[in-house]
Amino acid sequence: MKIITSSSRLFLREFSIDDTVHFFNLNKDPEVIKYTGDPPFKSVSEAELFIQNYSAYKDYGYGRWAVCLKESQEFLGFCGLKYHPKDKITEVGFRFFKNQWNKGYATESTLACLNYGFSELKLKEIYAQVHIKNYASQRVIEKCGLHFVKEFIYNNEPTNLYCKNNYQ
């Protein structure tokens, strides 16, 4: 298990094949994926294939990470950094099981990712893309110090773009 970063209650680690069922269950909840543009996995096998083929760590040196509770090692969801090679930007994003919402995990893990991105990866700026109706995620992003840049269309959906640079 490769731990990437941690916070007071959480640790973030690379995905493993043991996360397959968690991934499947996380993405089958319509409320969890409502604003993501992602379809649910059709089967546990499809979720397993996704994890097996997840190459961001190898390709870019970072990616999305499993968020686990230090106390129990329970898988809560994921958070991490995603590189968009076409746009040459890195964004932070997160997704948690509904029963883990409103516990501060999204904010805590996002702050850990921002710190890791700026201090360890030496990124100059990190973005976030949030559907304009996803008010809860917008609050998290703003609490973490990202500033509104513009509204634009992403995956055919109205989206707010936020940014934080290493100098803020």
Side-chain angles (χ1 to χ4, degrees):
M1 172 172 68
K2 184 174 179 187
I3 295 178
I4 304 301
T5 189
S6 63
S7 63
S8 60
R9 300 179 295 168
L10 310 170
F11 66 88
L12 285 71
R13 62 164 173 77
E14 289 187 355
F15 296 134
S16 78
I17 206 69
D18 295 334
D19 297 325
T20 297
V21 172
H22 301 306
F23 250 87
F24 175 75
N25 289 329
L26 182 66
N27 284 338
K28 80 175 185 181
D29 185 331
E31 286 187 66
V32 170
I33 62 171
K34 181 177 184 177
Y35 297 115
T36 68
D38 294 337
F41 292 116
K42 294 180 180 92
S43 65
V44 173
S45 299
E46 187 179 29
E48 182 176 6
L49 194 60
F50 172 84
I51 291 172
Q52 286 174 341
N53 292 326
Y54 189 72
S55 64
Y57 309 140
K58 178 175 56 77
D59 294 346
Y60 309 116
Y62 56 91
R64 302 288 201 220
W65 300 300
V67 177
C68 302
L69 203 54
K70 281 182 177 177
E71 184 180 289
S72 63
Q73 299 195 3
E74 177 186 1
F75 180 101
L76 306 175
F78 69 78
C79 185
L81 303 171
K82 179 179 181 180
Y83 183 66
H84 293 270
K86 180 181 167 204
D87 301 316
K88 294 185 172 61
I89 66 165
T90 297
E91 72 164 323
V92 65
F94 49 84
R95 189 175 303 174
F96 289 89
F97 283 110
K98 198 167 38 184
N99 67 345
Q100 303 302 335
W101 292 0
N102 300 309
K103 296 181 180 181
Y105 297 143
T107 301
E108 193 172 325
S109 59
T110 297
L111 286 169
C113 287
L114 291 169
N115 182 55
Y116 182 82
F118 291 135
S119 65
E120 300 298 320
L121 300 174
K122 307 298 184 206
L123 297 173
K124 300 219 182 310
E125 55 196 10
I126 298 174
Y127 291 86
Q129 301 176 63
V130 185
H131 191 284
I132 63 165
K133 292 185 179 176
N134 190 346
Y135 305 116
S137 290
Q138 288 176 36
R139 280 191 300 278
V140 168
I141 292 301
E142 290 166 356
K143 270 196 268 184
C144 292
L146 284 89
H147 301 282
F148 177 81
V149 175
K150 67 179 181 178
E151 185 180 315
F152 71 113
I153 301 298
Y154 181 75
N155 288 341
N156 298 316
E157 293 290 335
T159 303
N160 287 337
L161 182 67
Y162 294 85
C163 184
K164 181 171 184 154
N165 63 47
N166 205 6
Y167 315 108
Q168 293 173 322

